[in-house]
Amino acid sequence: LIGQKAEKEGYKAYAIGGFARDLILGLQNFDIDIVVENNAIEFAEKLVKYLGGKLKTFPQFGTATLTLKDGNKIDFATARMEFYPFPAAMPEVEETTIKHDLYRRDFTINTLGFKLNSPVFGDFLDFFNGKVDLEKGIIRVLYNLSFVEDPTRILRAIRFESRYGFTIEEQTLGFLTNALENNMLAQVKPKRILEELKLILSEKNGLLSMNRSIELGILEGIFGEISNKKLLIRALEETKVHINLYKKKEIKVDNEFLIYVQVILSFCNEAKQKEFLTGLQLDKSQLEDFDFFFNNYQETLQSLKNPRYFSASEIVETLQGYKKESMIVLLALSFNSTVHKRILLYVKEFSNIDIEVTGEDLKKMGLQPGPVFSDIIKKLRKEKIDNNLSSKEEELLWVRS
Ligand code: CTP
């Protein structure tokens, strides 16, 4: 239908990128990107009258998103022709514009597409040998400065590598390393970097990409010096284990991505922590949790390291200020140690202990509400946590005494 409409209205439309790439790989991808010559917004505005649905346009980018009645989305972009160091003189053929548009893209495997116009519908576009690279499992840039012009492509490269089990081609890896050595990632705003990291970590093989990013020095290119790379890899793996354990027990874990970032930031210096905390655009309560965590976690881990005996209530006192998401970070940072066991005891047992005596019970005993109340409750809870009280009767007896 899109192709018919394009033909009728005098536009050229192509299905490009991820959709075509995954189709050839035999994978499902409902994310359809359509490139239009010469004006995607105008075309999409005509199309919405024909297909129905809701259209959102972004004139500053020459793009539009059409949400169809069934909820599926189609993105439209105007084919772009800005100057790039194109290797050979461009023959003045029919597909000049789309070829230029594809040449500005990240990797050859993303330059594949299909013509949509009705008379040529389905004609395959492969100007840069993307299909061969796709079949060989190779990630290759189209021009030397690709990573310099858009350093986030460094993160896309390792994301595609792990997602498809592909390899970054040798020369491309050279360009990537070069961009890293020239500190290109430090030029990118934390917000953009975090968006890319989020995409990486939401992939099934996200941790593989994270390992690769540490191995290639990408993470250091972003976060500066990392105190212990091997430990960071291990901590990220542990994070995944604990998130999954929580989920298995049907404990809701909010914003997994933030937990991973918290782990990474624990290995960075304070300046980077601050810079990225701003980039995360946290809400007030998240910011308070993060602040609490970064102000206290080192001291907490250090104090729990002490080999002396810790009563249950002491462990609770040490850990009760942390949110459950931060508890995952503490667990990830302390694997296989006394500290880890103490945190686990807190998570599994002590944090769930609650007293049965209520404020009403205290009132009935003739006590006046006020600071005394909370003091009694606090001490009562301590007694209960240390396992000295096993029923409400015993709790009441303890209060009376
Ligand atoms: N693109 C690019 N450089 C970037 C981001 C995107 O050249 N930094 C190009 C890619 O060629 C990509 C297209 O823009 O094919 C669309 O981007 P996006 O939707 O992010 O990529 P997909 O390839 O569809 O990736 P995914 O499968 O993860 O959605």
Side-chain angles (χ1 to χ4, degrees):
L1 284 178
I2 295 173
Q4 280 170 15
K5 192 72 185 164
E7 188 63 22
K8 198 163 153 229
E9 300 285 346
Y11 297 89
K12 288 206 174 85
Y14 307 89
I16 296 293
F19 167 75
R21 178 195 65 217
D22 290 344
L23 191 73
I24 291 166
L25 287 174
L27 303 169
Q28 236 176 23
N29 188 338
F30 295 118
D31 188 6
I32 301 182
D33 291 305
I34 292 182
V35 173
V36 181
E37 292 176 21
N38 288 320
N39 191 324
I41 295 182
E42 255 179 44
F43 175 60
E45 276 166 348
K46 286 182 177 145
L47 197 67
V48 69
K49 286 186 196 140
Y50 186 60
L51 290 180
K54 261 199 172 149
L55 186 71
K56 220 173 155 189
T57 61
F58 307 91
Q60 69 274 38
F61 302 117
T63 62
T65 300
L66 175 61
T67 307
L68 297 171
K69 285 175 202 147
D70 61 10
N72 282 326
K73 284 185 181 167
I74 306 176
D75 287 320
F76 295 87
T78 306
R80 287 160 68 174
M81 275 273 288
E82 40 245 29
F83 176 74
Y84 273 85
F86 207 79
M90 187 73 110
E92 284 307 310
V93 291
E94 218 191 331
E95 280 123 15
T96 304
T97 310
I98 186 69
K99 192 168 177 181
H100 254 118
D101 180 289
L102 293 171
Y103 185 68
R104 352 168 334 265
R105 295 182 179 240
D106 51 1
F107 311 116
T108 57
I109 58 166
N110 287 335
T111 62
L112 301 171
F114 298 98
K115 292 184 189 174
L116 294 179
N117 282 51
S118 40
V120 284
F121 181 84
D123 276 7
F124 186 48
L125 296 181
D126 180 10
F127 297 109
F128 309 106
N129 288 327
K131 187 159 179 276
V132 173
D133 285 345
L134 201 57
E135 281 160 0
K136 285 191 184 157
I138 284 174
I139 295 168
R140 187 198 309 269
V141 286
L142 288 123
Y143 54 96
N144 307 8
L145 289 177
S146 189
F147 292 118
V148 172
E149 272 164 19
D150 185 349
T152 62
R153 289 177 173 169
I154 295 174
L155 292 163
R156 286 176 64 86
I158 56 168
R159 177 156 64 90
F160 288 126
E161 209 184 23
S162 312
R163 182 198 287 176
Y164 299 119
F166 283 7
T167 314
I168 300 174
E169 177 270 334
E170 206 181 312
Q171 204 182 22
T172 297
L173 191 62
F175 296 141
L176 186 153
T177 323
N178 220 353
L180 278 177
E181 280 164 6
N182 283 302
N183 225 2
M184 295 315 296
L185 276 171
Q187 323 285 327
V188 184
K189 289 209 171 76
K191 190 170 170 277
R192 284 283 295 116
I193 295 278
L194 289 163
E195 280 164 8
E196 289 299 330
L197 281 180
K198 191 169 186 174
L199 289 176
I200 286 182
L201 285 161
S202 53
E203 296 266 341
K204 198 167 143 251
N205 292 331
L207 285 189
L208 218 60
S209 295
M210 293 310 288
N211 290 356
R212 185 82 161 125
S213 79
I214 293 170
E215 175 190 297
L216 292 175
I218 296 172
L219 221 56
E220 280 189 290
I222 298 170
F223 292 101
E225 200 189 330
I226 285 168
S227 54
N228 187 332
K229 288 184 220 161
K230 269 199 183 137
L231 222 57
L232 172 55
I233 292 178
R234 182 80 197 279
L236 289 171
E237 280 159 3
E238 282 286 309
T239 306
K240 188 170 182 177
V241 169
H242 287 287
I243 289 177
N244 287 339
L245 280 176
Y246 269 55
K247 280 190 190 159
K248 231 176 167 179
K249 289 191 182 128
E250 290 177 12
I251 302 173
K252 196 172 158 278
V253 179
D254 282 334
N255 213 333
E256 290 176 28
F257 170 62
L258 285 184
I259 304 177
Y260 286 108
V261 174
Q262 218 170 322
V263 172
I264 298 169
L265 290 178
S266 309
F267 288 79
C268 302
N269 68 36
E270 226 172 283
K272 282 285 171 193
Q273 283 173 1
K274 291 226 164 71
E275 195 184 327
F276 275 85
L277 282 186
T278 318
L280 280 169
Q281 295 180 310
L282 303 171
D283 64 33
K284 197 167 160 267
S285 108
Q286 286 171 327
L287 199 61
E288 277 167 14
D289 294 342
F290 264 59
D291 269 345
F292 181 84
F293 177 85
F294 285 106
N295 288 331
N296 295 289
Y297 81 98
Q298 274 167 325
E299 204 184 315
T300 298
L301 293 175
Q302 194 56 38
S303 77
L304 288 174
K305 224 182 205 172
N306 196 322
R308 75 168 173 81
Y309 171 75
F310 271 69
S311 68
S313 59
E314 264 182 295
I315 294 179
V316 170
E317 205 161 309
T318 316
L319 292 170
Q320 66 189 354
Y322 294 97
K323 279 274 159 65
K324 67 174 182 298
E325 285 76 17
S326 291
M327 211 57 77
I328 294 179
V329 183
L330 291 176
L331 283 167
L333 295 179
S334 63
F335 40 81
N336 276 348
S337 63
T338 317
V339 182
H340 190 81
K341 284 180 197 130
R342 285 173 170 162
I343 300 173
L344 268 185
L345 270 174
Y346 172 77
V347 172
K348 285 187 176 163
E349 294 180 29
F350 308 154
S351 62
N352 303 321
I353 299 175
D354 234 334
I355 53 172
E356 290 173 70
V357 164
T358 62
E360 276 310 306
D361 294 322
L362 297 183
K363 268 195 224 165
K364 276 186 206 151
M365 291 164 96
L367 291 160
Q368 292 299 320
V372 159
F373 254 50
S374 52
D375 194 42
I376 292 174
I377 300 274
K378 209 170 137 197
K379 286 184 178 148
L380 179 63
R381 190 152 179 263
K382 179 176 176 309
E383 280 299 304
K384 177 105 182 211
I385 289 166
D386 285 334
N387 215 6
N388 299 329
L389 308 164
S390 57
S391 66
K392 186 166 179 181
E393 283 65 39
E394 284 187 36
E395 286 179 29
L396 287 167
L397 262 174
W398 183 88
V399 176
R400 282 199 189 94
S401 71

